Amino acid sequence: MDSAEIKALDAADPLAAKRKLFALPDGQLYLNGNSLGPLPTAVQQRMTELIGQEWGIDLVSSWNKHGWIDLPTATGEKVAALIGAAPGQVICCDSVSINLFKLLAAALQLNAGRHVVLSQADNFPTDLYIAQGLDTLLGKARCQLQAVSSENLLAQLNENVAVLYLTQVNFRSGAMHDIAALTAAAHAQGALVIWDLSHSVGVTPLELDKWDVDFAVGCGYKFLNGGPGAPAFIYANKAHHDKFQQPLQGWMGHAEPFAFAEEYEPAGGMAQFLTGTPNILSLVALHAALDVFDDIDMAQVRTKSVQLSELFMSLITEHEVLQSLQLESPSNAQSRGSQLAYSHPHAYGICQALHARRIASDFRSPSYLRFGFSPLILSFTDIGKAVATLAEIMREGKHLDPAYQHRQKVT
Ligand SMILES: *Cc1c(COP(=O)(O)O)cnc(C)c1O
């Protein structure tokens, strides 16, 4: 594809103006929105107000005066609009890991009598670790993690499975599951589902109610742009409310936290998923960040996400020097989220060399280069530049520079 064709794609892009909503520095090419979303300018303003007035001056009265106490629910409702959830089924709190613990315990309780948690061996490690932890805590008679390859999931879905426990978009390869089909297959076997939407929320159209999903979690700091360590969200289908008790019962999930009663009594609805005091600084940031999505059509976001990644893939094939990069993502866009992974023995050095040229990508062990496509901030011209720079690095052997070999703590 030549530069005129790329320019034409930009000219026809209905989301082109959205980049102005973000505080990205000039010259920074950001292919890492799937790891840490960029800063929406509205968040900057909101944080100044929060710290200056609400925390600084109004102090403790802000819990009521500025609605801090309702932020987990209010932020959850904003997420609900992005995942096809009717009101009263989403709340924002804690991290994905902690929320997975709550949901997995709740699902095992709902499906008592069964003990297998069926997952995928290359699921995001924290998802597996949480299940392994519950396995140790509850014993194998009540919780037994079975992690199989993606191709074997359906074959292993039988009458012992209590919960099908999966991530929609694989963090390394970007391979995307069909939530509707797998949820229906799980239900047909009497299993519940927990979907981790960390790499899909904010970039993929989701219809959790329509797909009859039981439970889901998702990440606030990736495509939702909520900032480093932003709270995660929990979705729990209304059909299940009041039928289980999540085990991390803290005072904020009590029916009447300020009655300070001795005995725990869960709040109704989603509030029972709260544990301790909400992280207000992070919640305010996430709440403001979600305004970016107010007038956005997720179908348009998906269309552009596919166009960006298809362009990237096709440009890679045009450079002889880039043929040493091995595509590790599904080549068919329908089976992929908004990222591409390529393996290369020098993936780490390539990633560092790109970074030095102000192109953010990331490296995932053992040898993956990962590129995330955020349709709200990237232009097609950006993709052209990124691939041209990548080709230049490889042609000149810049990725072999010893300065780029030192592994930092966060890759
Ligand atoms: C990013 C991500 C997480 C992050 O978990 P935290 O507990 O919020 O750090 C979990 N699962 C998946 C699939 C992810 O992509």
Side-chain angles (χ1 to χ4, degrees), residues 277-341:
T277 305
N279 186 337
I280 297 304
L281 300 188
S282 292
L283 264 173
V284 165
L286 176 60
H287 188 264
L290 289 166
D291 283 350
V292 161
F293 291 96
D294 274 355
D295 59 350
I296 277 182
D297 173 357
M298 288 309 294
Q300 275 183 356
V301 173
R302 174 66 181 164
T303 301
K304 184 172 174 190
S305 140
V306 169
Q307 286 176 315
L308 289 167
S309 43
E310 292 284 289
L311 174 63
F312 191 97
M313 271 172 64
S314 97
L315 292 176
I316 292 269
T317 62
E318 289 177 13
H319 295 271
E320 185 60 36
V321 69
L322 296 181
Q323 300 323 299
S324 55
L325 293 171
Q326 171 79 35
L327 181 67
E328 299 289 351
S329 302
S331 55
N332 163 17
Q334 264 60 56
S335 318
R336 231 176 32 224
S338 203
Q339 66 201 59
L340 285 171

Side-chain angles (χ1 to χ4, degrees), residues 44-308:
Q44 241 168 346
Q45 289 156 16
R46 184 69 190 89
M47 293 309 276
T48 305
E49 193 179 275
L50 167 73
I51 289 174
Q53 181 69 36
E54 300 183 17
W55 183 11
I57 294 169
D58 296 333
L59 291 153
V60 74
S61 68
S62 293
W63 283 104
N64 292 311
K65 188 173 175 188
H66 297 293
W68 287 359
I69 196 69
D70 296 320
L71 270 172
T73 309
T75 314
E77 293 304 349
K78 283 182 152 188
V79 173
L82 294 176
I83 62 176
Q89 302 178 106
V90 185
I91 198 156
C92 286
C93 56
D94 302 319
S95 62
V96 172
S97 307
I98 290 176
N99 291 334
L100 284 170
F101 182 89
K102 298 174 198 170
L103 288 182
L104 194 50
L108 286 168
Q109 194 188 5
L110 271 171
N111 218 351
R114 294 182 176 211
H115 64 290
V116 172
V117 175
L118 182 61
S119 191
Q120 204 173 312
D122 61 348
N123 198 348
F124 193 87
T126 208
D127 299 52
L128 299 175
Y129 301 160
I130 290 292
Q132 289 160 8
L134 259 178
D135 185 315
T136 308
L137 183 70
L138 299 176
K140 298 237 183 283
R142 288 176 60 201
C143 175
Q144 184 171 2
L145 174 66
Q146 192 184 345
V148 303
S149 69
S150 178
E151 302 73 50
N152 281 329
L153 283 167
L154 282 177
Q156 296 300 323
L157 198 50
N158 57 37
E159 69 287 351
N160 294 322
V161 176
V163 190
L164 180 63
Y165 178 72
L166 294 174
T167 297
Q168 184 189 15
V169 172
N170 184 274
F171 78 106
R172 277 203 195 90
S173 69
M176 181 159 76
H177 280 306
D178 180 338
I179 295 187
L182 276 164
T183 299
H187 288 170
Q189 293 289 337
L192 294 165
V193 295
I194 299 176
W195 282 102
D196 186 334
L197 308 172
S198 291
H199 273 282
S200 35
V201 66
V203 78
T204 310
L206 293 162
E207 294 290 348
L208 299 195
D209 284 353
K210 194 170 119 194
W211 297 336
D212 202 21
V213 166
D214 302 294
F215 300 106
V217 293
C219 186
Y221 53 80
K222 292 172 179 157
F223 289 112
L224 294 185
N225 314 311
F233 68 85
I234 298 180
Y235 163 89
N237 194 306
K238 259 211 165 93
H240 300 311
H241 290 194
D242 311 321
K243 293 188 187 150
F244 58 84
Q245 218 166 313
Q246 68 90 1
L248 292 183
Q249 37 188 57
W251 72 305
M252 282 292 157
H254 192 280
E256 286 185 83
F258 288 88
F260 296 102
E262 244 172 75
E263 292 290 325
Y264 184 75
E265 187 196 325
M270 293 307 292
Q272 68 180 297
F273 283 105
L274 296 178
T275 299
T277 305
N279 186 337
I280 297 304
L281 300 188
S282 292
L283 264 173
V284 165
L286 176 60
H287 188 264
L290 289 166
D291 283 350
V292 161
F293 291 96
D294 274 355
D295 59 350
I296 277 182
D297 173 357
M298 288 309 294
Q300 275 183 356
V301 173
R302 174 66 181 164
T303 301
K304 184 172 174 190
S305 140
V306 169
Q307 286 176 315
L308 289 167

